[in-house]
Amino acid sequence: MDRRVKGLSRLRASEGLRSLVRETRVGVDDLIAPLFVHHEAGWRQAIGSMPGQYQLGVEEAAEQARQWQELGLRAVLLFGLPAMKDAEGSASWDDEGGVIQRALRAIREAAPELVCITDVCFCEYTDHGHCGVLTERGGKRVLDHAATRANLAKQALSHAQAGADMVAPSGMIDGQVSVIRAALDEAGQCGVGIMAYSAKYASGFYGPFREAAEGAPQFGDRRSYQMDPANGAEAMREVSVDVEEGADIVMVKPAMAYMDVIYRVKQAYGLPTAAYNVSGEYAMVKAAAQAGWLDERTTVLEMLTGFKRAGADMIITYHAADAARWLRQ
Ligand code: PBG
């Protein structure tokens, strides 16, 4: 016998052995399901670029949330499709009629255990599709971070007052976490947390989402405020700023092409860390599965496990409901 051979395969011989030595586990309670809420009553529209995902009216969304709660899911991330868009995105802080505010009240009722996180941004609410207020600089229309911050505070507070457990600012606006934290605290909403889209990259993988949320920029792109995909050290600075400003959870987005960033963030800060498995990542797997090119269940669970192995504590994913079903079996 060759004593130099060090065999590692003996621990892989059966499912029992494999499960004993398994280092990473994905559970339903690691998953956060995005939900697109449309302002129109009775609305239910399939999103072509994201098979299996829908835009839903407020009541339909509440019913979806109820079913997801029953399935064991713990949290949803809400995106709103408002009735009206303007230059500022003012429909996003409409306490009574706002689509997210109404959805929060309905979901609270239908699925009281579910953690409701709201995406806080303006791209779905502005007529120009950018993530805040615009101003002119050097003959160009650019994002006005200062003016946008004031509006972010209004939107986040309105969500909190309508029942959000956490708000998730996604616009990569400088100072977004601190201005929201201050607004919440001053209004007595100290218990509402902030999940910060800290390291959000200007990514091609958001393509399908722009159809889902009807928030594509009408001119230009988002590279002057979202991060350059080439930068890892800069992600650490973004996270450190958000931590200082009071983020409770930090996020890396997208997930698949940014596993090193997830790893570094978790290692360096040890904070609750979320990975956003975005629309394009979902669409790729769905399309390949529909073509019969890969096995959807195996691939999705492998991907989710990979995010957790890299350091994510929680995963925002459109696969959440499917994964919840598979994980229950
Ligand atoms: C809004 C927002 C976007 C996503 C989440 N929040 C779009 C963007 O920044 O262009 C992308 C989500 C996805 O692709 O699944 N700012």
Side-chain angles (χ1 to χ4, degrees):
M1 192 174 149
D2 186 345
R3 292 244 158 242
R4 286 165 307 179
V5 172
K6 306 278 191 237
L8 289 178
S9 69
R10 66 175 69 91
L11 295 178
R12 297 173 200 143
S14 67
E15 181 48 31
L17 279 164
R18 290 191 293 273
S19 73
L20 276 178
V21 299
R22 190 158 291 137
E23 299 171 32
T24 310
R25 284 191 164 77
V26 179
V28 268
D29 42 12
D30 298 321
L31 308 176
I32 300 169
L35 187 49
F36 297 103
V37 192
H38 194 281
H39 66 89
E40 205 165 305
W43 190 265
R44 181 180 180 83
Q45 179 149 303
I47 299 162
S49 56
M50 300 173 72
Q53 302 298 311
Y54 298 84
Q55 295 175 344
L56 298 173
V58 168
E59 288 312 315
E60 289 70 20
E63 171 55 19
Q64 177 69 271
R66 194 193 59 74
Q67 288 172 16
W68 284 348
Q69 177 178 275
E70 208 152 280
L71 202 54
L73 288 171
R74 287 292 170 81
V76 287
L77 176 61
L78 303 178
F79 293 95
L81 293 105
M84 184 274 293
K85 298 187 190 224
D86 60 19
E88 285 204 295
S90 62
S92 67
W93 62 78
D94 179 349
D95 295 333
E96 282 312 308
V99 59
I100 291 296
Q101 290 81 350
R102 289 193 290 129
L104 282 164
R105 292 190 284 265
I107 293 172
R108 277 267 161 269
E109 193 124 316
E113 303 302 321
L114 218 50
V115 174
C116 293
I117 309 167
T118 59
D119 185 85
V120 171
C121 194
F122 292 101
C123 54
E124 297 112 83
Y125 300 90
T126 51
D127 48 18
H128 46 72
H130 281 284
C131 300
V133 180
L134 300 179
T135 185
E136 195 143 316
R137 193 181 306 136
K140 276 205 274 183
R141 289 212 284 168
V142 297
L143 203 65
D144 183 339
H145 287 250
T148 303
R149 278 196 291 275
N151 292 347
L152 274 172
K154 288 192 258 184
Q155 184 184 154
L157 186 56
S158 182
H159 289 180
Q161 285 166 344
D165 294 294
M166 297 200 94
V167 291
S170 69
M172 292 299 279
I173 307 301
D174 293 335
Q176 61 184 8
V177 173
S178 78
V179 77
I180 289 173
R181 186 68 270 156
L184 293 174
D185 290 350
E186 276 161 31
Q189 296 285 353
C190 312
V192 173
I194 300 177
M195 172 190 266
Y197 284 69
S198 302
K200 178 176 178 180
Y201 289 87
S203 171
F205 289 100
Y206 305 152
F209 177 93
R210 307 245 165 112
E211 176 193 334
E214 299 172 6
Q218 297 305 302
F219 66 91
D221 55 44
R222 304 206 203 289
R223 284 183 293 177
S224 64
Y225 42 106
Q226 298 180 347
M227 284 184 61
D228 183 338
N231 297 351
E234 188 189 332
M236 303 301 280
R237 292 184 60 206
E238 284 284 4
V239 170
S240 119
V241 166
D242 283 358
V243 173
E244 271 173 45
E245 291 186 11
D248 299 285
I249 298 175
V250 291
M251 190 202 298
V252 176
K253 175 187 179 185
M256 281 174 77
Y258 300 89
M259 293 281 227
D260 57 322
V261 181
I262 297 171
Y263 180 82
R264 285 168 75 170
V265 167
K266 184 64 192 178
Q267 291 285 311
Y269 295 96
L271 271 176
T273 302
Y276 198 140
N277 178 213
V278 301
S279 59
E281 300 172 326
Y282 174 83
M284 288 194 303
V285 173
K286 276 284 176 187
Q290 284 179 349
W293 294 338
L294 49 74
D295 179 68
E296 185 177 352
R297 176 185 171 143
T298 309
T299 318
V300 168
L301 293 178
E302 178 179 337
M303 217 168 52
L304 300 179
T305 303
F307 301 144
K308 285 212 72 184
R309 195 191 63 244
D313 299 290
M314 64 201 93
I315 304 156
I316 300 158
T317 179
Y318 304 96
H319 297 291
D322 287 334
R325 274 180 219 105
W326 296 326
L327 291 167
R328 266 154 54 120
Q329 284 162 20

